[in-house]
Amino acid sequence: FSSRRLTSFRIMGDQTLELERLFETTAGIPIVTAGRVSSVGKDGKVDEITIETSQKDCRTNKTRKNVTTLYPHSHGNGWKGTRPVEIQKVLGTFPSPSGNLVATVVAADAKPGAGPESPGVFHVIISTRLETLQTISTEGKHGKVFVSGTFGGFSWSRDESKIAYIAEPNPPKRPNFFDEPPAEKNAKEDDDATGDEAAENKKKLKNEKKSAGPGEAFEWQEHWGEILTDAKSPACVVMDLKTRKIKVLDGGPENVSFAQVQFCPDSASLVAVGYPEKPRKLGATYYNTRPSSLYHIPLTLDDDDDDSEKNPKKDQKDQKGEGGTAAAAPAPDKTDGSPDKMMTKKEKWTVISAEKDHSPVSPRFSPDGKSLVYLTTDKVWYHMSCARLRRISWGTESPAVTVVDCVESPENLGDFPGLWLLMLPERTWMGDSRHIVVNSLWNITSTLLVIDVFTGQINRLKGSAATHGLASMAVLDVFAQYALVKESTPLQTHQVHLVEILGSEKEKDENSAATEAKKVGGGVVPSVWTCVRAAVKLRDSDLQEKLSKATFRVLDIDTEDKSAANGGQFQALLLLPGTQKEACPLVLRPHGGPHSAFATGFDWGNVLMVLKGFAVCCVNYRGSIGYGQAALKSLPGKCGRQDVDDCMSALEKTLSLEAKVPSSWPRFDQKRIMAWGGSHGGFLTTHFIGQFPDKFKMAATRNPVTDVAFMVTETDIPDWCYCEGGGDYDAAHMPSGEDYKKFFEMSPVSHATKIKTPLLMLLGLKDLRVPPSQGLNFHRTLKARGVKTKCLVYPKSTHSLSDSVRTEGDVWINVLKWFSADE
C-alpha cells in the first residue's frame, strides 16, 4: 500500500468504528414494550407495576428482553425498581383476573434431532408470587402458540380454572409413496397386544386413516404470508388447569383460521375472531381490513376423547354438542358467516358480529361482563383503514351498536380524524365498565382517548407537562381508574407514567352512538400523572450532549385543493441536529405502506441520523393514516404521482425555512439532499430519483417496490397492487394486459432510464411482501446503464430486515456510509 492508500484506509476504518459506536449506543437504548399494573392495595392505590423492555445487544447479536418490578417508595415520594431480569424465552406473562395467579408461556428448547420445520414445544407455567404450582407441556398436542400479533390470543376464565389461547394444530401425516403407515406396522408386529396397549394401537390406526393419503407428502400448504408462515390454520385451544387436559377445539366451521380468543363471562364459552381461508389466504400482517367474523364458541371439555390429534375443523356431521353451556349470547345479525357462508342455523358455533362488520377484531369484555366491545372497518382493500368501535350488550338479544363511527373528512387539520389503531389494548376497560382507554393516531401524534361506550363521548388524556403536548403516547395497561402509559418524543426515549383518571364527562342519553360533533374530542379528562420510570439517556455522554442540542418541529404543508379533507393540508416531522459550523445534509424520508404514518414518538433510526449530522424530513403525505378516511382514499390510483408530489412539496417547504427560522438553526446543504425509504417508502425513493434525477446526491432503499407489474404474481398481498393502482382485486382472475400496463406506468421502473443518482439497495431474501426480485432487477438495470449502485442481500431477513441485531446494524451503518461518501 502507498502511504496515501494507508491513510485512506485508516480514515475509512475510523469512520466505520465511529458508526459502529453510534449504532451500538443509539440502538442499544432500552425500549419499553409492555407494562402492567400488577397489584393494588386495600386503599385502592397501585403498589406494584411490571415493565418489560427490549434492548439490542450488538456483541451477542441478541435483542434482550427484560422485566423490572416497580414499587412506590415507603416514604411516599417516587418509585423504585428491581434490577432488570432477562426473560429471553418467555413469549408472554398473563395474570389471572384476581391477580393471584400468573400464566407464563415459555418456548422450550427443541428436542435433539428436531428438524428446522419442527413447531417446537411450549410450556405454560402457572405460579403465585411465591411458588410455581404447575408446568404443563404442549408437546404432541399442537404446534406453534400465538400469544401476540394478528392471531395472538390468551385468556383466563373468570373462575381461573382454564386458559384459552391460539395455536397451530398438528398437521395430518402426509406419507410418501412406499411408506408403511406406522400404526399399521405396529399392529402387525404386535397382534397379541391386549388391554390398554391394544386400545392405544387401535387409536393410532384410526388417526392414521384420517391422515392424508400416500403421495401427498409434498402438497403445498398455504399460510398467512409475511412473518406468518407458521400460521396455516390456527385454532382455539383450551387448557384445563385441574385435569391438565389440553383440547384443540373442533366442531366449528371449516376453512376458518381463528385468532384473538377471549373467555366469556360464564367461563363456559369463548369469543374469537375467525378469518375465512377461502378463496385464498392473503398476507395478514400490517392489515386491519382482512375479512373476519366474531364467533361465540361453546366449550365441550368433558368429551371423553382428547382431540388434540384431530383436525380442529372436523366435518359438521360429527358434531355432538356435549359439554358446558354457553352464556346467553346476543342474537346474531347473520348466520351465513359472510363473506363465505361458513355457518348455518344448525351449527353451535355462532357468528355474533353484524353483516356490516367487515373485519371485526379485538373483542374485549367489560369487568361486569355486560358489554363486549370490538373494532371493525368498512369493506375496503386498503391495508389500513379508519376503525369503527362497536358494542354488544352481552346476554341480551339487542343488536350491536356503533360507539365511535368512521370519520370520513375532518374539516380542518387538528379535528378528530377517527380511530386509527390495529388492536385495542389487552386490558382497555376502566373499572366502571363504562369507559375504555385507547391510544389512536390523531394526525401526527399518538393520542390517549377515554371513550364512554354508552354515549360515544370521546375525551383526551393530556400528556405530562414536560413534553408540552408534542409527545406520542401508548396505553400499556388499564386497571380500575388507572392507566399505565408510555410517552416519548422524537428525541427522548420512553417515560412510563401511572395516570389516575379522576373523571369523565357523561352524556344523558346512554343509548346514543357517537355521531354528534360535540361528543368528539369534547374535552380533556382530569387526571393525575406520576412518572414511575424516567426516560433513559444515551450511555455515551458526548452523544447525549449532542442529542440534547437537537430539535424537532411539525410542519403543516398546504396543497392546492383547499376543499379536501383537513383543508388540503398534510404534515411532516422535521428533525434537526444541533448548531454546527457547516450546512447540514438533509434526508427526505417517506414512510412505507402507503397507509401508515410517522408519529412524534421516539425512533432510534431518526436519532441515529441526527447524531451523524443529518437533518431528517419524515413526510406523512396524503394517503397516510390519522387524517380521516377521505385523505386516505385520495391516494389509491394516484400512487407515484400524488405521494411523490407531496413529498417534494415537503422538501421545498423544509428548504424554505432557512429564511424564517432562528439563526441558531443549522443551514441546509442543498447539494447534499438524500432520500431513504423502505417498502412503499422505497417505491417513493426510487420514484424521486427517476422523476427528479438532478435533485438528490444519494439514495438508499430497503426492500423497495420497483415494478408492480411483476410484483402482483409474487407477493403475499396481490390485492395491494390492484388497490393502490385504483382497481379491485379478484382472486379468481389473473391480471389483464390493461392491468399490467397500469401497473408498469405507476412503477418507478417506468422512470429507470432517467436515473443518475447513486442508489444503495438493501434486500431480505425471505421477504414475502416485496419479493427481492424487485430490487435485484432494478439494481441490474441501473448497473447496466452505468449508474453507481450497490446491492446488499440478507439471506435470513424478511421485509423489515430485523431478523438480528447485526443485520439491522449492517443496514444502518451501510446507509450512513453511503450518504457520507464523497463522489
Side-chain angles (χ1 to χ4, degrees), residues 80-111:
K80 58 183 178 180
T82 61
R83 293 184 181 277
V85 177
E86 189 168 359
I87 52 171
Q88 195 62 32
K89 294 183 179 181
V90 174
L91 301 183
T93 56
F94 305 93
S96 66
S98 69
N100 296 327
L101 300 174
V102 175
T104 304
V105 183
V106 179
D109 292 328
K111 279 190 169 184

Side-chain angles (χ1 to χ4, degrees), residues 668-744:
F668 301 121
D669 186 343
Q670 300 202 25
K671 293 183 179 180
R672 290 194 295 163
I673 299 174
M674 319 294 180
W676 162 231
S679 193
H680 189 83
F683 170 90
L684 291 174
T685 296
T686 45
H687 260 299
F688 297 159
I689 61 176
Q691 296 188 41
F692 303 91
D694 299 314
K695 190 71 176 179
F696 298 88
K697 181 188 177 185
M698 295 280 188
T701 62
R702 168 189 58 79
N703 290 318
V705 176
T706 62
D707 191 340
V708 180
F710 276 86
M711 176 178 162
V712 67
T713 56
E714 294 183 323
T715 178
D716 67 330
I717 52 168
D719 56 315
W720 180 94
C721 302
Y722 287 89
C723 171
E724 302 309 333
D728 293 320
Y729 171 69
D730 185 347
H733 292 86
M734 293 293 288
S736 66
E738 195 60 36
D739 290 330
Y740 280 124
K741 181 176 181 291
K742 180 169 59 176
F743 293 156
F744 175 81

